[in-house]
């Protein structure tokens, strides 16, 4: 059985299922901050871990994650075991990418209402030619991607040149890195500012689903 870490009210109108990034567990500082921000916006947030990360907890051995397409079934199982209505799926970085790869099939089956990607890995850092956007061009699922403007996995200048589905909405967080964190001395924004903006924007987006 999948183990879930639940944050936010049980009576929430929407549940958001979040998967972690390639290197950070479901209770990492970044995942915890993001979950709290969404819970503060009134969402019920359920976090889960892919098997490789759960195994890392047990063994302590750090091995590279499987390819994203090898994690699709694990995400499908998590959706089924959570059994939530009014569900939005997504995740941090790789977790959001995996969710995006099964979004249309689950949306067509009326299992989800939308997709939320937090720091989407549009390409590996330093390799802008290795795009991970082919399936995003014709995506039919209502989608919100929250991205920092200086994310090395896809900056604003880069992403604005891509062909993406008109179902995808982008929230740009000024000077945010891959964890959506800004440099306050440079940008004037704090992490708390960005988490609040993320919370408010996602709430407004969900109300339109």
């Amino acid at each position: 059985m999948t183990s879930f870490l639940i944050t936010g009210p049980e009576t929430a109108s929407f549940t958001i299922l979040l998967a972690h990034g390639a290197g950070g567990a479901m209770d990492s500082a970044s995942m915890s901050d993001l979950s709290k921000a969404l819970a503060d916006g009134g969402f019920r947030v359920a976090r889960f871990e892919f098997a490789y990360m759960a195994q890392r907890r047990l063994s302590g051995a750090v091995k590279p994650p499987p390819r994203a397409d090898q994690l699709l079934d694990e995400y499908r199982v998590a959706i089924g075991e959570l059994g939530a209505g009014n569900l939005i799926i997504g995740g941090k970085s790789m977790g959001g990418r995996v969710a995006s790869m099964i979004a249309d099939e689950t949306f067509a089956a009326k299992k989800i209402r939308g997709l939320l990607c937090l720091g989407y890995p549009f390409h590996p850092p330093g390799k802008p030619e290795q795009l991970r956007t082919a399936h995003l061009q014709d995506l039919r699922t209502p989608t919100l991607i929250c991205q920092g403007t200086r994310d090395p996995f896809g900056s604003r200048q880069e992403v604005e040149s891509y062909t993406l589905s008109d179902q995808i909405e982008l929230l740009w967080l000024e000077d945010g890195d891959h964890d959506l964190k800004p440099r306050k001395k440079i940008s004037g924004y704090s992490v708390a500012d960005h988490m609040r903006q993320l919370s408010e924007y996602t709430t407004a987006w969900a109300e339109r689903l």
Side-chain angles (χ1 to χ4, degrees), residues 40-59:
D40 287 347
F43 294 99
R44 175 176 177 256
V45 182
R47 288 173 267 172
F48 78 99
E49 286 182 346
F50 295 114
Y52 82 89
M53 185 61 71
Q55 183 61 34
R56 184 182 295 183
R57 281 185 189 274
L58 296 175
S59 67

Side-chain angles (χ1 to χ4, degrees), residues 7-26:
T7 310
E10 289 292 328
T11 56
S13 299
F14 286 92
T15 295
I16 300 178
L17 180 59
L18 291 181
H20 54 83
M26 67 178 175

Side-chain angles (χ1 to χ4, degrees), residues 62-143:
V62 179
K63 298 179 180 178
R67 286 178 21 172
D69 59 3
Q70 295 175 344
L71 297 171
L72 304 184
D73 282 342
E74 288 189 53
Y75 208 119
R76 293 183 182 108
V77 168
I79 292 172
E81 292 188 353
L82 183 61
N86 279 348
L87 180 65
I88 296 167
I89 60 170
K92 171 79 177 70
S93 191
M94 182 196 73
R97 181 186 176 205
V98 174
S100 74
M101 295 167 75
I102 63 167
D104 276 355
E105 68 180 63
T106 49
F107 181 67
K110 301 188 184 305
K111 294 179 180 179
I112 68 168
R113 299 284 301 279
L115 169 69
L116 175 65
C117 298
L118 304 168
Y120 187 85
F122 286 98
H123 60 73
K127 299 178 180 179
E129 72 284 355
Q130 294 183 19
L131 288 180
R132 298 159 172 164
T133 58
H135 69 293
L136 300 181
Q137 296 180 19
D138 300 311
L139 197 69
R140 298 184 300 278
T141 306
T143 299

Side-chain angles (χ1 to χ4, degrees), residues 5 20 45 58 74 78 90 101 172 190 201-202 208:
L5 184 58
H20 54 83
V45 182
L58 296 175
E74 288 189 53
M101 295 167 75
W172 287 106
S190 67
Y201 197 100
T202 306
R208 299 194 300 270

